[in-house]
Amino acid sequence: MNENSSTSHDLKSVNCRISSEIERFVGRYSIGRDGEPLNERASLHFLRIKVPGGRLTADQLLGIADLAQKYGRGRGEVTDRQDVQLHWIEAENALEIFQRMGELGFTTDMCGQGFSGARYGDVRNIVCCPVSGIGKGELIDPYPLVKKLTNFFTGNRDFLDMPRKFKIAVSGCGSDCTRVEVNDLGLVAVKKDGEIGFTMMVGGSVGASLPGPKLAEPTFAFIKPEDAFEVVVASVEIHRDYGSRESKAKARFKWLINEWGVKKFLSVLEEKTGRKMEEYNGRLFLNEDDHRGVQPQNRRGYYYVHIPLLGGLLTAHDMINLAEVAKEYGNGELRLTPQQNIIVPNIKDKDAATRKLKRLGFQLHGSSLRWNSIGCASDFCGKTKEPHAKDAVKSVVERLETRFDHGLLNAAALKVHVSGCPNDCCAARTAVVGLHGKLFKEGVELKQHYSLLLGGDPSKSKLARQVVEKASLEDLKNGLEALLKKYLRLKRNRETLAEFCNRHTIEVLKSYLDGG
Amino acid sequence: MEEKFTLKKVGEKRYLLDARGGVCPYPQLLTLRALSELNPGDMLEVLLDNPPSVRDIPPALQRKGYKVSEVLSVEKGVWKITITL
């Protein structure tokens, strides 16, 4: 055997040795980038554990607790896509982590890697109503569809090189608990002439990609439940096959929808699926249930307890405690919510369960703000300085709850979203009160300030308006207090804070923030 | 295994690992595996388009005693890391 063929043979066996250990994880597992360049927490990588439909068992949560303790410095966070993120992940431990995740039944998405071109986009965790199958008055249980779609897309090489990521949300309860408007594709359960199905919204994304922040547009199409899987897959194929590859900035689905219009999108979809879409012109959301607190389930005698985490942070110890509560009082199941919270469902003795949770240190009372407010993981991605988003959201909510009656805050229908940087991962533009972080150079230092956006109301297709460009968190909290006092004095009947803000000019709102 | 994740001999004691398209942690793991198969005096060039890997691989290799002789931007969004054993 000459030297060249010997070398080829050696290389082939080397390639086999390189690949065999790794191959089974490729396309199903990855770690994401943390920490550049300002990361004070010194995490280089995160692990985004995809939890399909937000549903997991107590044993799975115990497994995550174990991973958090071994590899993630004992903590994790629930994300607004119902995932669990761990940080401080070392690349060299990745394969054993992936192995363990496989044993637990989890995968990851492909995370944001920072590729420069319009490539390698995948379908992210599909957001599902967190009380699917148990919520009273639910129109349709979306979980079977979400699970089927998740199984289809996970590791599917036909969908790992799309122009950009693709985000899907499915709501079955008639409310907007899954925030469909910030997704590339949202399905909302509706009723048409007594028949239950879905209507679809497309092209939502409030990040900086072109053509800028955009709420998903209604298609006015009615989709029968049995057709929903095919319609979603065909829509993702449209993104894959027709989405712009010209640049990363133009590669989100919203760009294509903006270029085509909804009509053309539906036409292409009909061609792909071979069926004409029925029309739906009814109401989009039938109620405003945020599933907060302790609520009876559709099965008599059973309850779920929705625990607000305010930013989604959990220690491994918390995870273990929650798993044990689920086993002792529920049926061993837990649900992660798109508001970064956790639900223990299927509880019979709700009083005993809530007493136990309180003894374990979980706060179960508060205004609706506590359940509906979210903050991004800006302390890890490295684009921000203190005060970070999760600390900021906690601080704002706690300030407002100590100053105002909780009933009044509930009636104001407040939601606070805090994004630590202009990427706006927590969609501050869709919140009634949005804080949008940015770094400013002051002398030789970089300081974290926030802009304030007010009046986001996706149900009325309204993005929040920027009212303050740059302020410290403390100044913004003082301003919000002043604004709320004004709102409570001047509001009309049952007017929400969003409605109040949207009938005033920015100049007037500024004066209210200043105490005028 | 995809063609792009294979090791190729490109010259006398010169090898190329094309890790383009690899998401973290694969470029780093593949690089370490490839290096473990080569001999003193060999040179490995790794092609990458994943910015976090470009950030992480040089210090990770240096911690293991490898010599990173060059990190070069070869075109927009593509880098080459050269390691001599």
Side-chain angles (χ1 to χ4, degrees):
Chain A
M1 194 185 295
N2 66 30
E3 188 186 42
N4 282 342
S5 61
S6 168
T7 305
S8 300
H9 171 80
D10 287 344
L11 282 176
K12 203 169 172 185
S13 65
V14 162
N15 288 331
C16 285
R17 280 196 294 280
I18 290 173
S19 69
S20 62
E21 204 182 349
I22 292 166
E23 194 163 9
R24 61 202 168 101
F25 299 118
V26 173
R28 297 168 70 79
Y29 296 92
S30 76
I31 54 178
R33 175 179 59 173
D34 264 340
E36 190 151 46
L38 296 169
N39 184 9
E40 296 140 357
R41 314 279 170 127
S43 167
L44 287 180
H45 298 110
F46 65 86
L47 180 75
R48 185 179 291 151
I49 302 169
K50 192 160 73 174
V51 181
R55 284 198 198 183
L56 69 170
T57 66
D59 285 337
Q60 285 179 316
L61 186 56
L62 289 172
I64 293 176
D66 191 48
L67 286 171
Q69 274 169 329
K70 270 205 184 92
Y71 304 104
R73 299 194 189 178
R75 56 169 275 184
E77 69 211 16
V78 180
T79 75
D80 68 341
R81 297 200 73 78
Q82 299 168 299
D83 298 315
V84 178
Q85 265 175 195
L86 309 184
H87 296 274
W88 296 287
I89 303 300
E90 304 271 353
E92 284 159 47
N93 294 329
L95 293 188
E96 67 197 55
I97 292 172
F98 297 162
Q99 170 72 28
R100 182 66 187 125
M101 283 178 65
E103 290 161 8
L104 290 169
F106 292 125
T107 59
T108 71
D109 59 35
M110 292 300 107
C111 307
Q113 299 287 319
F115 291 108
S116 64
R119 292 205 68 182
Y120 305 124
D122 65 328
V123 175
R124 296 300 169 89
N125 199 29
I126 300 171
V127 177
C128 177
C129 172
V131 298
S132 57
I134 59 173
K136 258 190 160 184
E138 179 180 68
L139 289 168
I140 188 169
D141 178 359
Y143 182 69
L145 171 64
V146 168
K147 194 150 188 288
K148 189 176 177 186
L149 286 166
T150 303
N151 290 345
F152 175 79
F153 286 118
T154 299
N156 186 333
R157 285 170 194 262
D158 291 340
F159 297 95
L160 292 177
D161 191 7
M162 300 196 290
R164 289 289 298 278
K165 59 193 169 190
F166 197 91
K167 296 183 176 182
I168 303 167
V170 186
S171 168
C173 62
S175 82
D176 191 23
C177 59
T178 59
R179 297 162 55 224
V180 291
E181 299 88 356
V182 304
N183 283 268
D184 296 289
L185 188 154
L187 291 181
V188 182
V190 294
K191 232 186 206 173
K192 179 186 170 180
D193 302 329
E195 186 186 356
I196 291 172
F198 294 104
T199 190
M200 183 165 65
M201 301 179 72
V202 289
S205 152
V206 292
S209 301
L210 297 174
K214 207 167 159 291
L215 295 174
E217 293 179 50
T219 60
F220 302 106
F222 182 80
I223 298 158
K224 293 181 193 300
E226 60 267 26
D227 297 335
F229 176 82
E230 192 185 353
V231 165
V232 172
V233 172
S235 300
V236 179
E237 286 173 347
I238 289 172
H239 167 62
R240 181 193 63 195
D241 299 337
Y242 296 98
S244 174
R245 301 249 185 200
E246 188 185 321
S247 71
K248 205 167 171 178
K250 290 181 180 174
R252 285 298 300 270
F253 192 48
K254 60 180 169 178
W255 174 265
L256 182 68
I257 296 297
N258 198 54
E259 291 283 288
W260 277 8
V262 169
K263 230 172 157 182
K264 182 174 176 183
F265 162 72
L266 281 176
S267 163
V268 174
L269 184 62
E270 285 171 348
E271 205 181 306
K272 264 186 143 340
T273 56
R275 62 169 68 86
K276 183 113 181 79
M277 295 286 154
E278 280 180 48
E279 272 189 30
Y280 176 77
N281 290 302
R283 270 175 71 186
L284 191 55
F285 299 112
L286 306 178
N287 63 67
E288 291 175 1
D289 193 355
D290 54 12
H291 312 310
R292 71 177 187 266
V294 181
Q295 296 215 25
Q297 296 181 190
N298 52 10
R299 189 173 160 205
R300 200 180 163 83
Y302 287 81
Y303 299 85
Y304 61 79
V305 178
H306 184 163
I307 303 152
L309 299 177
L310 254 193
L313 295 173
L314 288 169
T315 63
H317 198 58
D318 289 331
M319 294 178 204
I320 292 167
N321 285 336
L322 286 166
E324 284 171 5
V325 167
K327 281 186 177 182
E328 189 177 349
Y329 298 98
N331 66 337
E333 190 186 317
L334 300 109
R335 311 276 186 97
L336 308 178
T337 84
Q339 286 71 32
Q340 304 173 328
N341 300 324
I342 194 161
I343 287 175
V344 180
N346 302 309
I347 291 172
K348 283 191 101 168
D349 190 347
K350 59 178 169 67
D351 295 331
T354 52
R355 277 197 303 270
K356 179 71 182 260
L357 284 164
K358 284 174 189 171
R359 274 202 308 274
L360 292 169
F362 294 101
Q363 182 169 335
L364 300 180
H365 60 273
S367 70
S368 58
L369 265 178
R370 192 162 281 274
W371 277 266
N372 296 332
S373 300
I374 56 176
C376 72
S378 70
D379 45 341
F380 287 102
C381 70
K383 298 187 180 78
T384 65
K385 299 197 93 173
E386 287 182 358
H388 294 295
K390 288 189 194 292
D391 295 325
V393 73
K394 197 160 183 267
S395 173
V396 169
V397 169
E398 284 173 352
R399 167 73 80 89
L400 295 179
E401 282 190 336
T402 53
R403 298 285 203 268
F404 298 95
D405 175 81
H406 292 182
L408 292 173
L409 289 174
N410 296 349
L414 258 173
K415 291 182 191 186
V416 180
H417 291 191
V418 183
S419 292
C421 82
N423 285 353
D424 200 12
C425 296
C426 264
R429 290 185 181 92
T430 65
V432 181
V433 174
L435 269 60
H436 207 183
K438 205 172 170 188
L439 289 168
F440 290 87
K441 198 148 188 212
E442 291 176 7
V444 295
E445 273 193 81
L446 280 173
K447 289 234 159 133
Q448 178 80 357
H449 287 284
Y450 285 90
S451 57
L452 177 67
L453 301 98
L454 293 172
D457 195 349
S459 68
K460 297 189 173 82
S461 300
K462 277 196 176 325
L463 285 171
R465 293 176 295 166
Q466 182 173 293
V467 177
V468 173
E469 194 200 347
K470 173 189 168 187
S472 70
L473 180 62
E474 200 53 39
D475 286 346
L476 287 180
K477 286 193 295 186
N478 293 337
L480 284 171
E481 212 181 304
L483 173 68
L484 265 170
K485 283 178 183 164
K486 202 69 163 191
Y487 154 75
L488 290 170
R489 277 214 315 276
L490 300 179
K491 73 184 180 80
R492 295 170 180 167
N493 294 328
R494 288 145 66 121
E495 190 175 46
T496 64
L497 182 63
E499 289 163 342
F500 176 82
C501 290
N502 288 328
R503 68 174 169 87
H504 287 94
T505 65
I506 287 175
E507 286 64 39
V508 168
L509 290 173
K510 274 186 178 154
S511 73
Y512 291 165
L513 290 164
D514 288 335
Chain B
M1 193 76 176
E2 293 146 33
E3 179 65 26
K4 65 184 177 205
F5 289 160
T6 53
L7 187 62
K8 289 186 175 74
K9 186 171 167 120
V10 294
E12 183 67 29
K13 291 179 173 294
R14 265 180 72 219
Y15 298 85
L16 176 72
L17 174 67
D18 189 348
R20 285 177 295 180
V23 301
C24 285
Y26 304 109
Q28 184 170 329
L29 298 180
L30 289 163
T31 301
L32 286 168
R33 297 297 188 275
L35 285 169
S36 70
E37 299 286 344
L38 300 181
N39 298 305
D42 288 341
M43 178 191 286
L44 176 67
E45 294 169 336
V46 183
L47 278 180
L48 296 160
D49 56 0
N50 178 355
S53 294
V54 179
R55 175 195 71 180
D56 297 337
I57 290 176
L61 295 182
Q62 278 154 2
R63 278 194 300 274
K64 291 195 177 300
Y66 292 105
K67 183 172 184 292
V68 175
S69 46
E70 194 178 49
V71 179
L72 192 65
S73 171
V74 294
E75 63 183 69
K76 186 174 183 238
V78 181
W79 294 266
K80 185 174 73 173
I81 298 178
T82 305
I83 308 118
T84 37
L85 281 85

